[in-house]
Every structure is written in structure tokens, then in C-alpha cells.
Amino acid sequence: MQNSPLILDGKVVAADVKNRLKDDIATLLSKNIVPGLTAILVGEDPASQVYVRSKERQAKKLGLHSDVIRLDAHSTQAELLAIIHQLNNDAKVHGILVQLPLPSHFDEDAVIEAINPEKDVDGFHPISVGRMQIGLDSFISCTPAGVLEILDYYKIVTSGKHVVVIGRSNIVGKPMANLLTRKGKRGDATVTVCHSRTPNMALFTRQADIIIAAVGVPELITADMIKDDVVIVDVGINRVGDAKLEKGYKLVGDVDYQSVLPKVKAITPVPGGVGVMTIAMLLSNTVKAAKKLSL
Ligand code: NAP
């Protein structure tokens, strides 16, 4: 008889992360240093607008300075690079983030590379990625960092476990897999990475002690693809139509939550799991940047 599954509550863990930042913020404020985060939003993408507003609200609530530079969707690469250059040289700004995706005429890689790595609070700059890869102190991409916080908070050990990461994007899948193979706490796992070219993915997911799904395909992982007592972290956030709801859609993850629930040891819900962690980790990176740049 299976015990009831542990629901890994991102809201609780995010609150804990933010709480742990308070002492550092107080120390900085006592020295008249206000950790500053500036977001650049290009265009009118509604999901990006929501994210950026939420980042600004949560940063201010914690006592950080936060502002948003809004650019027209038709702005040029040169205009965006000039703003990044200005922010790189502004001592009041400790963290810079460019909300992705950018309109298609921008060269995203060049934009990310233009950010001063010491202010790269999203952890996307090649220097941050490279430092993380070889185990040096760095800004870590916020979503995978949030996944590790959740596992740690709920004392889910990764050492010696077989973790299957589904997805190999630069912002989630790849850094996730890399972090889990690092030596030491929160690492030491044996990691398999699956992606769209993986034939018979269930062959791998059925062997997993921990599954981390970062795919973007609604409810791809079903009960027949997992073994009993697996831990599942569902990074996916997908909108699917639901005529019963006033807004006309609901959010679901990459995992078929209801079907897997009776088999799992622990699972993150969507929404309320990994999604809420990302901003908490961004704020944590901003405080870290302020400390490194100012103290
Ligand atoms: P992405 O860049 O589109 O990458 C998706 C990955 O999934 C790719 O590696 C792709 O393989 C793989 N994939 C696609 N279809 C597959 C299939 N049928 N079977 C196996 N693998 C498949 O997406 P992302 O940015 O990593 O985001 C993934 C999901 O996480 C999305 O739902 C996104 O909304 C969500 N997300 C949430 C947060 C948050 O919680 N704050 C943050 C970021 C992303 P290929 O490489 O072969 O194309």
C-alpha cells in the first residue's frame, strides 16, 4: 500500500528563500546600498509583461530597487545594446535581465553576451554557464537553481540517484543536468538527458528515481512511463484550452498529474511548484550581485 504522495510546494520554498535573504538585504541597506534590479522588456508579449510585473512587485516587496525599461518591439539591436552598456556602467544597478524571448530581429546571444557577467542575474551569460560547468562560484540559471532548492528543502537526496532530465534547453535542461552531476551536495547524481530525438523515452523514465520534466508539451509523462515511488519535478507551464473557465484556459505541466499521483513518492504541482521558485532565485542572485559588487 502506497503512502500519500508528498506535494512539493514551491510557494513554501520560495518564501523560505526570500526569508533567508532578509539579513543580507538589511546589511546592504545599513550601508546605504539598495540592491538594484533592472529588467528590459522589448515589445508587448503578454506573458512577458506578466512575468516582468511580478518580478518588479516581488523585488520591491523585499526592499530591493526594481525598475523596468520598456522598448518598442521595433527597437533595434544597437538601441538595446546601448541601454545594456549604460546599465553595465551604472553603480546603482546590480542585476540586469533582458526578458526573453526577444522579437525575432534581435540576436539574443549577442544581447546576453553584452551584459556584464557580474550583473548577469539570469545566469545566461557564457561566463556564468562556463563557471557553473566547472564548479566555480557563478550565477546559476534561476529555474534549475529553484529546482535544487525544492529538492533540498524537502530533503530529497540526489547523490547516487538516477535522475532523468527531459529537455536540453540552455535555460533549464542543460544547466539542470550539469548541476546534478556536480560533485557534492545537491549533485552526485547519475543523469540521463532525454529530448525530442530520444526514441522510446519511457525506457529511460521507467528507470528514474527522480524525473525532471522541462519540455513544454502538456501532460507528456503518464503513469505507464514511471516506476513506483519516483520523485517528479514538473517544470513545464503549458496553457490548454478550458471552456469551463472564464479565462478560457488552464495551466498544466509536462506531467499528467492525476494519472501519476497514485504512483509517486513526491511531486511538484503546476501551478504552485517550480514556477514560483524562478523569481525567488532571481532575487537571490540580485542580492548576491549587490554583495559582490558593493561590499
Ligand atoms: P524549450 O527551449 O522549448 O526546450 C524544450 C526541450 O524539450 C527541448 O530540448 C526539446 O528537444 C524537448 N522536447 C520537445 N518535445 C519533446 C518530446 N515530445 N519528447 C522529449 N523531449 C521533447 O523549452 P524550455 O525553455 O526549456 O521550457 C520547457 C518548459 O518549462 C516550458 O513549458 C516552459 O514554459 C517551462 N518553463 C518554466 C519556467 C518556470 O517555471 N519559471 C522557466 C522556464 C521554462 P530538442 O532539444 O530536441 O528540441
Side-chain angles (χ1 to χ4, degrees), residues 143 167-169 171-172 195-196 201 214-217 235-238 275 278:
T143 303
R168 55 175 168 179
S169 70
I171 63 168
V172 192
H195 46 75
S196 70
M201 193 166 64
V215 192
V217 176
V235 180
I237 302 176
N238 308 293
T278 302

Side-chain angles (χ1 to χ4, degrees), residues 12-13 16 20 148-156 186:
V12 171
V13 187
D16 182 61
R20 279 187 273 137
L148 293 188
E149 284 292 338
I150 291 178
L151 294 177
D152 199 41
Y153 183 91
Y154 285 101
K155 302 191 171 29
I156 294 165
R186 302 182 178 192

